[in-house]
Amino acid sequence: MPENQVKQKVDSLIKQMTLAEKIGQLNQLFVLPAAVPGMPGLKDEDIAQGEYGSFLFVTDPAQINRLQHIAVEKSRLHIPLLFGLDVIHGFRTVFPVPLALAASFDPATAERAQAVAAREASAAGVRWTFAPMVDIARDPRWGRIVEGAGEDPFLGAAMARAQVKGFQGAFEGESGHVLTSVKHFAGYGAADGGRDYDSSYIPEEQLWNVYLPPFHAAIEAGSATLMSAYMDLNGVPATGNRFLLQDVLREKWGFKGFVVSDAFAVRDLITHGFAKDPEDATYLAFEAGVNMDMGSRTYDDHLAKLVKDGRIKESQIDEMVRPILAAKVRLGLFENPYIDEAAAKAIFAAPEHKQEARRAAQRSAVLLRNEGALLPLDRGKYSSIAVIGPTADSAEDIRGSWTVADDPAQAVSVARGIRQKVGAGVQVETALGCEIRRKVPSMFDMLSAVKKPAPLTDEQNTMEIKKAVALAAKSDLTIMVLGETQDMSGEGASRTSLDLPGRQEELLEKVMATGKPVVLVLLNGRPLSITWAAEHVPAILEAWYPGAQGGNAIADLLFGDTNPGGKLPITFPRSVGQVPIYYAHNLTHQPEGSPGFFSRYWDEPSTPLYPFGYGLSYTKFAISHLKVNHEGVSVEVQNIGRRTGDEVVQLYIHQRAGKASRPVRLLKGFERVTLAPGQKKTVRFTLSDDELSYWSAAERKWVKDPGAYDVWVGNDSNASLHDTMNVE
Ligand code: BGC
């Protein structure tokens, strides 16, 4: 619909709306299962009164239609509801978690995944997703690292753009698509100590150069909405933060959409010691620029009084309502408020969605080790295979967190995937090995109807380890599936350790001691300090939480039907004590390599276990012929092995001197290419002002410093092919 018509429709509605109806549009109800304590019930009459503009967490198409009928037919002005949900990595078809999608180093894969998610969600009537989550995170203790693209702003910005495009389509309101809400603005990933919701203290230099770029990219890509964050940023709660929500978002970046708070974050302004009471919280969030209150009902309860008392003008309310109504108009909700439930079922069952999910899982996996070319597995060689580990046959853990509307029966565990791959002629047996459980239960256990059984005792785990070792000893090959259960990462899932939880390390060492060939598959949502495995287990595949088709994709990769080509979007430390450790650090007094190198720990190497950008393949690539000139950078990549495979060619730069000291390396270009044996390709990168400028804390603005720059191209952040260039 042309923008002038959108405006006309919004103007005409605003003219007819009462103050209460306007406030209703700013109010989003969190529809949680009745079992959750303290949740307000949903009353149909309230919908008819126009009390809500939006609902979150309704996923059933029939229920969505029912509620929409009330809003559209019974409310005075027939304004449709906007249904929102955390469609994070799939709706009915579960894709790899966002960190895994980032590991594909292929924005097109992320875009396609989110386009499928959008197609399914919108078919169900969910037209708004609380995604993409673009928080840069450099502390793997933080559980929500799984929801973002990792440590790097350049990769993060590329993934942000791709996801907005995939979800929203070519324009806001395109049918079969959903609106995005880029989140959590801003700095949530820098939580103190990696503790979820804890305060972030981010200096200006890091804020502009590291944490904000993916948000800016998402806004430039047209994200219709944005979500504020829970924590304080430099002492000011993000949900009451005018600097973020006005100065940066609206004034500098020209954002015209609407801001939704994170769930209950408006009310939380009191907890922060920022607002005196709920009325004050309402005032502060509203004045800072939060259009819609997610769940906490403060706007609903207090805005009218604030208008009556003259603290907020009704015209200000109008301005906050406008972008919400405009979004509903653009989505076509006024003309087509309902969904076709039968059509939705057909869309959920689309076979191409499963194929897309399998392909995304294949492309997300990262091969960390492959000594003696154990992988790919030789099909004819093994007549018995043991698949061992606490998550080896789990349909829950293969999917990862944030699966709210899928069908768990569709999920293919690693064991199931291996069975399907090898067929009846090969004996595949599974063993738990040991159980892994959080010491403190997950907040999501509250929402689940299924209650977890009591954990295994230590003796029971000892028995499980024995059984598993015996199975490995009698099998020709063992596939170990270790890592974390899905509830060990995600929201409210911070850890103090990055080691394999529970007795998995012991299990692994005992299985290795059988002397049989072992392949380790990791299912996890954060870097793990698998230092022992990295030295002793010949083959390690990082599969993350690969989604419902994960088991099939892992089997495809292990048996060489496809070749791993993903790369780490985040540094893997040797131990939690190295955290934060990221490749784009600055150099100071006595850095590594200098004669008196003391800027280090005395008990551990200072290098990471695996660097950012790292990942192997079943074939080999040569990268050569680096040319750097004023037009940019070009390089040749050739497959010099015997299998078709993918390489991610990565460009890093370093500014030698300028108005600020700059990181030793910064990723400024990457391209994933597929090459047949012997095939060559020239990859070109441009280095424009966008790549060369940075926020100078000294000048308090974006600058581009003239002078000498180093350029490296290679296949991880230790790339050695080098040249220099001069920036005028
Ligand atoms: C999370 C958000 C999410 C919201 C709604 C909050 O707890 O921080 O990321 O979108 O809940 O589910």
Side-chain angles (χ1 to χ4, degrees):
M1 182 183 282
E3 274 308 297
N4 61 337
Q5 284 177 31
V6 176
K7 191 174 175 303
Q8 268 169 24
K9 172 87 190 167
V10 172
D11 285 345
S12 112
L13 282 168
I14 296 264
K15 272 197 204 112
Q16 301 168 66
M17 287 165 89
T18 63
L19 177 62
E21 284 165 339
K22 291 173 190 169
I23 293 172
Q25 291 302 308
L26 308 180
N27 181 26
Q28 184 184 55
L29 184 74
F30 205 138
V31 187
L32 279 173
V36 179
M39 286 316 298
L42 168 59
K43 288 201 225 96
D44 290 358
E45 320 72 277
D46 294 344
I47 304 176
Q49 290 299 314
E51 240 187 67
Y52 308 110
S54 174
F55 284 134
L56 81 144
F57 259 74
V58 189
T59 57
D60 171 29
Q63 173 77 333
I64 289 178
N65 262 346
R66 190 187 77 79
L67 299 171
Q68 193 68 296
H69 270 285
I70 303 174
V72 172
E73 280 149 36
K74 306 235 167 96
S75 75
R76 199 175 66 89
L77 295 171
H78 316 289
I79 301 177
L81 293 160
L82 177 56
F83 291 89
L85 183 74
D86 296 274
V87 182
I88 306 297
H89 55 113
F91 182 78
R92 192 56 55 112
T93 308
V94 180
F95 279 78
V97 292
L99 188 65
L101 289 173
S104 74
F105 269 72
D106 181 22
T109 291
E111 183 181 331
R112 277 200 304 271
Q114 303 304 27
V116 170
R119 191 161 177 252
E120 294 182 349
S122 63
V126 171
R127 298 300 305 276
W128 183 21
T129 178
F130 307 122
M133 191 281 225
V134 305
D135 294 307
I136 295 294
R138 293 176 163 186
D139 187 336
R141 292 175 296 179
W142 190 54
R144 300 197 81 171
I145 205 163
V146 64
E147 292 177 55
E151 75 182 44
D152 186 68
F154 188 82
L155 177 64
M159 289 296 158
R161 263 180 234 115
Q163 293 188 77
V164 170
K165 247 171 103 188
F167 279 127
Q168 282 196 171
F171 56 90
E172 193 182 321
E174 187 178 353
S175 96
H177 287 270
V178 299
L179 304 183
T180 53
S181 192
V182 58
K183 70 186 187 186
H184 308 83
F185 198 56
Y188 185 34
D192 251 8
R195 287 178 298 273
D196 208 2
Y197 316 135
D198 222 333
S199 303
S200 294
Y201 297 95
I202 306 180
E204 188 182 349
E205 191 275 331
Q206 298 253 311
L207 189 65
W208 287 102
N209 292 315
V210 179
Y211 290 90
L212 292 180
F215 284 97
H216 193 197
I219 299 301
E220 283 189 326
S223 182
T225 83
L226 170 140
M227 187 186 288
S228 71
Y230 278 134
M231 73 315 136
D232 288 332
L233 174 67
N234 301 329
V236 182
T239 298
N241 197 311
R242 276 193 70 89
F243 162 72
L244 285 174
L245 299 174
Q246 298 293 356
D247 305 356
V248 176
L249 180 66
R250 290 178 166 101
E251 269 154 49
K252 262 196 199 306
W253 296 350
F255 176 69
K256 297 276 183 288
F258 70 88
V259 173
V260 63
S261 75
D262 201 342
F264 315 108
V266 177
R267 183 199 61 195
D268 284 349
L269 295 178
I270 308 166
T271 317
H272 287 252
F274 186 70
K276 292 193 283 283
D277 52 34
E279 184 180 316
D280 198 30
T282 305
Y283 178 78
L284 290 169
F286 185 93
E287 285 285 315
V290 173
N291 302 68
M292 189 184 277
D293 170 4
M294 181 187 279
S296 75
R297 310 219 48 171
T298 48
Y299 279 21
D300 187 26
D301 290 341
H302 304 283
L303 269 178
K305 173 157 185 293
L306 286 164
V307 173
K308 195 163 149 256
D309 294 349
R311 290 185 71 200
I312 288 176
K313 293 198 215 69
E314 187 161 347
S315 60
Q316 282 178 279
I317 305 258
D318 292 352
E319 290 317 301
M320 294 298 248
V321 175
R322 270 175 202 284
I324 297 171
L325 292 174
K328 293 182 178 186
V329 175
R330 290 190 197 108
L331 281 170
L333 286 174
F334 285 88
E335 296 84 40
N336 297 304
Y338 311 119
I339 45 148
D340 176 342
E341 290 166 39
K345 280 206 185 102
I347 287 176
F348 296 161
E352 65 270 23
H353 293 187
K354 277 192 187 150
Q355 283 157 18
E356 203 58 75
R358 184 165 177 163
R359 191 169 168 272
Q362 293 168 346
R363 290 178 77 76
S364 301
V366 183
L367 182 64
L368 295 178
R369 195 163 196 250
N370 195 18
E371 291 299 297
L374 176 59
L375 294 178
L377 297 170
D378 185 340
R379 253 169 225 264
K381 200 167 163 188
Y382 309 102
S383 52
S384 57
I385 300 178
V387 187
I388 296 175
T391 55
D393 205 8
S394 161
E396 187 178 329
D397 298 311
I398 200 85
R399 285 141 67 223
S401 58
W402 280 132
T403 53
V404 274
D406 71 321
D407 171 10
Q410 299 284 323
V412 181
S413 70
V414 181
R416 194 169 141 197
I418 304 281
R419 274 204 184 98
Q420 285 172 11
K421 177 67 69 183
V422 297
V426 179
Q427 191 174 0
V428 178
E429 283 184 73
T430 59
L432 182 74
C434 64
E435 187 189 59
I436 50 173
R437 288 284 271 267
R438 289 171 54 130
K439 287 188 185 156
V440 175
S442 159
M443 60 191 259
F444 294 102
D445 289 353
M446 254 182 357
L447 306 180
S448 165
V450 196
K451 291 288 158 254
K452 288 206 169 109
L456 297 190
T457 62
D458 218 33
E459 294 77 59
Q460 285 170 319
N461 275 317
T462 304
M463 282 309 297
E464 293 298 333
I465 292 177
K466 279 200 182 128
K467 274 196 257 172
V469 175
L471 176 63
K474 69 162 194 170
S475 306
D476 296 342
L477 168 81
T478 293
I479 297 168
M480 295 290 293
V481 185
L482 304 180
E484 298 186 339
T485 51
Q486 60 81 19
D487 64 353
M488 290 179 172
S489 58
E491 189 170 351
S494 301
R495 287 185 73 192
T496 60
S497 164
L498 300 175
D499 295 344
L500 290 167
R503 292 171 66 183
Q504 295 183 97
E505 186 78 37
E506 177 192 343
L507 169 71
L508 178 64
E509 293 183 18
K510 288 188 168 150
V511 167
M512 283 301 295
T514 62
K516 292 296 184 70
V518 174
V519 175
L520 172 59
V521 173
L522 292 169
L523 298 187
N524 51 287
R526 57 157 61 83
L528 293 173
S529 45
I530 44 151
T531 41
W532 190 89
E535 268 182 45
H536 297 93
V537 183
I540 308 177
L541 183 73
E542 173 57 83
W544 316 102
Y545 300 114
Q549 286 297 311
N552 285 331
I554 289 168
D556 295 337
L557 289 156
L558 296 182
F559 286 91
D561 293 335
T562 184
N563 191 345
K567 302 281 178 176
L568 295 180
I570 180 144
T571 306
F572 270 42
R574 293 171 187 276
S575 70
V576 74
Q578 287 185 317
V579 167
I581 180 169
Y582 45 89
Y583 82 93
H585 61 88
N586 286 14
L587 281 190
T588 58
H589 180 60
Q590 293 194 347
E592 175 138 38
S594 63
F597 169 43
F598 293 116
S599 172
R600 59 166 301 164
Y601 303 104
W602 57 254
D603 57 349
E604 202 166 64
S606 359
T607 52
L609 186 61
Y610 295 112
F612 174 86
Y614 173 82
L616 305 172
S617 164
Y618 299 152
T619 185
K620 286 219 159 357
F621 296 91
I623 300 179
S624 63
H625 295 85
L626 173 60
K627 286 198 196 103
V628 180
N629 58 34
H630 60 278
E631 282 155 21
V633 176
S634 77
V635 74
E636 214 172 271
V637 52
Q638 183 176 18
N639 183 342
I640 53 166
R642 274 180 303 214
R643 278 174 180 271
T644 296
D646 286 14
E647 183 58 290
V648 178
V649 183
Q650 303 164 40
L651 164 76
Y652 295 87
I653 65 164
H654 168 239
Q655 174 183 325
R656 288 195 175 170
K659 295 191 182 70
S661 32
R662 300 290 294 141
V664 284
R665 285 182 182 209
L666 285 173
L667 181 72
K668 290 296 177 184
F670 63 88
E671 190 177 327
R672 181 165 175 161
V673 295
T674 305
L675 296 174
Q679 199 185 348
K680 264 193 227 180
K681 192 183 170 186
T682 301
V683 175
R684 291 193 170 79
F685 300 105
T686 48
L687 285 172
S688 63
D689 285 358
D690 280 351
E691 285 81 31
L692 295 171
S693 37
Y694 67 95
W695 180 270
S696 156
E699 309 258 310
R700 310 215 63 197
K701 61 176 203 248
W702 293 97
V703 300
K704 185 174 104 177
D705 290 335
Y709 286 66
D710 295 294
V711 174
W712 292 270
V713 177
N715 57 9
D716 64 34
S717 55
N718 289 332
S720 56
L721 189 61
H722 174 256
D723 202 349
T724 55
M725 67 175 209
N726 207 48
V727 171
E728 304 284 310

